[in-house]
Amino acid sequence: MRKEEISSFLERLKEEVQRSAAELSQERMPELPMELFGLYEKTGDRKEYDGVYLTRRKYLAVFGLSALMHKSEEGSVPLRDVEILSGIMEEICREECWAVPAHVDRLRQDWRITADLFACETAQTLAELSDRLSKELPGVVRSMVRENIERRIFRPFFSQEPPSFWWEVCDTNWNAVCAGCIGSACLHLLREEKERLAGCVNRIVRALVHYIDGFSGDGACLEGPGYYTYGMTYFVNFAQELYEYSGGERNLFSGKWEPGVLEEERARKLRRMAEFLGKCFFRDGRMIRFSDDSSEDTFRLGLHCVMAAQYPGLQFPPVMRAAGLHTDFCYRFAALKMDLLETRRYLELPIREASISHEESQSFRIFPKAQWCVGNAASGIGFACKGGHNGEPHNHNDIGHFIYERDGVLLLTDLGAGEYTKEYFGENRYSILCNSSFGHSVPVIDGLGQCAGKEHGCRQFRADPTGRVEMELCDAYPRGMLSSFRRCFHFDLRTGHLEVEDFFRFRTRGGAVAEESLITQIEPVITPEGILLGRGEPRCIVIPKGACAEQIHVEEHIHRSHRRENEKVYLIRWRARTEGQTARGGFRVC
């Protein structure tokens, strides 16, 4: 990536903001009737209330960004823009509840004061705008913002001994988002109360230790690249603001988590975390995704600019995949603000072009702790596979699963997150195709898939830079079925051809039926030569081992995507060759 590309991105973003502000100024921000709040409790459907709620956050983000643009480039904000933004901020402050229905227990008397992801994001946005535009916004608006954040966020969180909320000691994106937002709000609103601010910052920093602990030792985010971006946005935003506020004395990036104490190992881990996302893109710009990851193959350029300033030589993902203003339908202000302001600041740094170039050579990247591999062949074909266990955050039952792609098209796919509903996070989670192992390219044993839980995972994982991976996966399936299931991948780093070998040993003398299973969103064509995916380019052919065309079965299903769209999915199955207590299967993809 060159600075010219970053500069072009920044200009496009500014144009998007200007255009959107002009369009929205002709419309009225929608009301948020509380009658919609109860629909989730009745039907489990989140879209009605959340849709209106997020549209209101779009207004807040767009006009907030527009005001910051005017102030940074012209030194002042047009009065009309100030009036619109002030009205939006007042309306947000008057909302009965800042949290969304899926995160609220209305049986609690104080349910309106729920510090979830969205409430904390709202507080951070209002606090930062109130601070950055303190000379432009009316005093009554800034007072309303301060009172609401104190009542809804600060007092419920800081008035109790930790943990005030479950997320304060969890190791997922919830920790980074909520704690990072609250910490940022404190830095923007409590600067005149230095003793109070110091106590608040120390508590936030101690909470964020748990977030760092949630990453594997090699820096991988088990929630996937999408949730990596979400959590790291708020961690990095707070860390950068704390760095600036303290004059560099509190630098979380370099391990200065406590005054006078240098956490060197934590600093090294943070460097590996910063490098993670750049290793998750295929050569053609497509990003890998596992578990409840987003279907969007994008990253936040502003976030990477902040990290690259702290970690010289950091590899950027390809700029073609940088998210724009409307990529995220939640319109998270902190991410967009960094895209707007931090990219410009990065462009002003004296950094050589070589340090921001994207690596495009053939490679096979191994995350041994997370048990992930990402391969890029010289031919342009990409491959990724995972081990791990079935109790990971935002888990899918997918141990031994893999992705195969070419020219930006997932030929053998991972569906990513489905539509978030009440059922999606309930007892029936693994009856939903994209969460179950039936929605992944892993075998089916006697009609059964993999089991959920940390105890069901990859017992052994070996990989080397030549593209060879071996996993022992018997524990992923119901106890008592398998004494061994060894899956071996060989990804040719020159041609991109993939060899998969499966060896099963059953516990019962009578053996069992082992079926190979693949998932694709391209309608397969069964031919005497194999399974053809794609009629034009890109395409591939899957050649089963020990199965003829008549033994291959295809099922068509409908997947409800995270964006609430129906998508066709094809499951391809055939039996592995069984001999007594053993079976051999596998296939070639080329």
Side-chain angles (χ1 to χ4, degrees), residues 499-502 504 514-516 527-531 542-553 573-579 583-588:
E499 291 276 355
V500 181
E501 295 180 321
D502 291 331
F504 309 88
E515 293 178 281
E516 295 289 4
T527 72
E529 291 74 30
I531 306 159
V542 179
I543 305 171
K545 294 180 179 179
C548 62
E550 291 75 19
Q551 296 171 311
I552 300 170
H553 305 282
R573 283 193 196 173
W574 68 91
R575 285 191 179 190
R577 189 173 67 251
T578 303
E579 296 178 2
R584 289 183 179 274
F587 45 93
R588 177 177 174 83

Side-chain angles (χ1 to χ4, degrees), residues 6 18 44 87 242 272 275 279 307:
I6 298 177
Q18 291 173 335
L242 180 59
R272 293 191 290 269
E275 294 170 344
K279 298 177 179 179
M307 294 193 294

Side-chain angles (χ1 to χ4, degrees), residues 383-385 399-404 412 441-443 467-471 473 485-492 496-504 516-518 541-546 574 576 584-590:
F383 161 78
C385 65
I399 310 307
H401 174 57
F402 70 97
I403 299 167
Y404 190 84
L412 292 166
S441 293
V442 295
R468 293 181 180 274
V469 186
E470 183 175 331
M471 306 180 192
L473 305 174
F485 165 29
R486 190 173 70 252
R487 167 160 275 197
C488 302
F489 296 102
H490 180 207
F491 181 64
D492 190 309
H497 295 173
L498 175 67
E499 291 276 355
V500 181
E501 295 180 321
D502 291 331
F503 177 80
F504 309 88
E516 295 289 4
S517 182
L518 301 175
I541 188 166
V542 179
I543 305 171
K545 294 180 179 179
W574 68 91
R584 289 183 179 274
F587 45 93
R588 177 177 174 83
V589 188
C590 54

Side-chain angles (χ1 to χ4, degrees), residues 405-425:
E405 71 89 50
R406 186 173 192 170
D407 297 337
V409 176
L410 289 173
L411 297 166
L412 292 166
T413 192
D414 187 291
L415 298 175
E419 180 183 10
Y420 282 4
T421 62
K422 193 173 185 178
E423 182 183 37
Y424 195 89
F425 293 102

Side-chain angles (χ1 to χ4, degrees), residues 218-354:
D218 45 31
C221 175
L222 300 182
E223 295 180 284
Y227 276 105
Y228 168 92
T229 296
Y230 186 24
M232 285 294 283
T233 290
Y234 289 96
F235 170 79
V236 167
N237 182 65
F238 169 71
Q240 177 69 10
E241 290 179 340
L242 180 59
Y243 174 79
E244 294 170 358
Y245 170 77
S246 67
E249 288 300 311
R250 298 291 291 275
N251 186 348
L252 305 189
F253 302 104
S254 66
K256 296 179 182 178
W257 284 61
E258 299 291 340
V261 178
L262 182 61
E263 298 281 355
E264 294 184 359
E265 178 51 40
R266 194 172 293 152
R268 286 192 289 270
K269 185 174 184 179
L270 275 164
R271 171 78 198 213
R272 293 191 290 269
M273 290 166 55
E275 294 170 344
F276 170 68
L277 195 64
K279 298 177 179 179
C280 289
F281 280 81
F282 294 122
R283 185 177 175 181
D284 54 33
R286 170 67 93 165
M287 185 169 68
I288 69 168
R289 64 171 184 256
F290 293 128
S291 303
D292 269 350
D293 212 342
S294 169
S295 61
E296 299 294 341
D297 301 306
T298 59
F299 74 104
R300 283 291 169 189
L301 184 53
L303 168 65
H304 256 69
C305 285
V306 175
M307 294 193 294
Q310 291 288 342
Y311 304 116
L314 185 70
Q315 176 183 328
F316 278 63
V319 73
M320 71 180 81
R321 296 297 183 180
L325 174 63
H326 302 295
T327 303
D328 175 17
F329 61 82
C330 293
Y331 291 90
R332 296 180 174 98
F333 176 77
L336 293 165
K337 178 259 311 192
M338 285 196 285
D339 285 345
L340 181 67
L341 301 182
E342 296 299 338
T343 50
R344 187 176 69 178
R345 177 153 59 176
Y346 187 76
L347 289 170
E348 296 169 353
L349 295 176
I351 296 175
R352 293 180 300 174
E353 297 291 356

